[in-house]
Amino acid sequence: MQNSEEADRRSGTPGPPAFRAAVEALRGSRLRPQVEVEPTPAPQRLAPYAYALEAVVVDGEQELADGRLVLLHDPAGHEAWRGTFRLVTLVRAELEPEMAADPLLPEVCWSWLTGALQARGLAYGEPSGTITRAASHYFGGLAERPAASQIEIRASWTPREGLGGVPDTAAHLVSWCDLLAQVAGLPPAGPGDASVVTLPQRRGPQSR
């Protein structure tokens, strides 16, 4: 099992005060209970400092969607970001055949991302991303399996920095969880929803 110090080292903390504050805000976030979130090792080559979370949306024993959110920080600033912080995400979910066949699905999924940020009143800039729709058909020994479709959202955006040059990463995480829940087909949770839980510290490997 990975101890907390090793998890911090591999995920990019400690670092400059602004980065540490942004990470602590993520760790203190209160999230809806259907979205299980925990720290995971972050990529090391995208920015001088990085912190990553992985999440899965569950309904009983069923996993409805999963994703990863990475917080990047470059104290010197980054021209493409137009800021010193960047959020990068990957979200995936299985789709019903009717939804997968909708020609407007990519536009709808992108609007879910931007809408989740706007619904929480978050300021952000330089959004970019791709929406990928994939279908799997099975043959031979797997022919009994029904065809399956999946949507994948890859996106990044620059959170606007507030007091002390620190963005409201907690609110961005809540918005990201809203996106995960929407992709998974869960009903929306309002800003005042009391059915939320605090982000746990990293646990050891689990069997799902």
Side-chain angles (χ1 to χ4, degrees):
M1 179 182 298
Q2 185 182 48
N3 61 41
S4 59
E5 290 183 359
E6 176 68 4
D8 280 351
R9 184 186 67 80
R10 295 186 62 186
S11 60
T13 52
F19 179 67
R20 293 201 305 268
V23 170
E24 285 305 310
L26 289 174
R27 289 173 172 166
S29 299
R30 292 178 58 80
L31 312 172
R32 57 190 297 170
Q34 301 95 332
V35 184
E36 298 180 354
V37 183
E38 64 179 13
T40 189
Q44 298 299 305
R45 299 181 179 181
L46 299 179
Y49 303 96
Y51 183 79
L53 298 167
E54 60 184 6
V56 60
V57 182
V58 296
D59 181 14
E61 297 296 321
Q62 185 179 10
E63 294 185 2
L64 304 178
D66 65 88
R68 193 180 195 209
L69 183 69
V70 181
L71 174 68
L72 303 177
H73 179 53
D74 187 342
H78 194 292
E79 183 178 357
W81 303 352
R82 296 186 181 273
T84 63
F85 284 91
R86 188 76 172 172
L87 286 163
V88 181
T89 186
L90 165 65
V91 172
R92 296 173 297 196
E94 298 293 325
L95 295 175
E96 295 293 333
E98 296 80 6
M99 181 177 289
D102 188 340
L104 296 179
L105 180 65
E107 288 80 4
V108 170
C109 288
W110 183 255
S111 72
W112 286 348
L113 169 63
T114 58
L117 295 169
Q118 293 166 4
R120 299 282 176 177
L122 294 172
Y124 66 96
E126 310 305 315
S128 63
T130 60
I131 309 294
T132 303
R133 175 171 40 189
S136 299
H137 300 269
Y138 301 95
F139 301 91
L142 301 176
E144 293 184 359
R145 292 188 182 182
S149 298
Q150 185 183 71
I151 193 71
E152 181 179 276
I153 303 172
R154 292 180 180 268
S156 63
W157 64 95
T158 298
R160 292 297 181 227
E161 297 166 16
L163 186 65
V166 182
D168 189 354
T169 50
H172 281 271
L173 175 58
V174 172
S175 294
W176 181 68
C177 288
D178 290 343
L179 169 65
L180 274 168
Q182 189 161 20
V183 171
L186 297 182
D193 194 332
S195 59
V196 294
V197 296
T198 301
L199 174 65
Q201 298 300 312
R202 181 173 175 83
R203 300 187 295 270
Q206 293 182 333
S207 57
R208 294 195 185 275

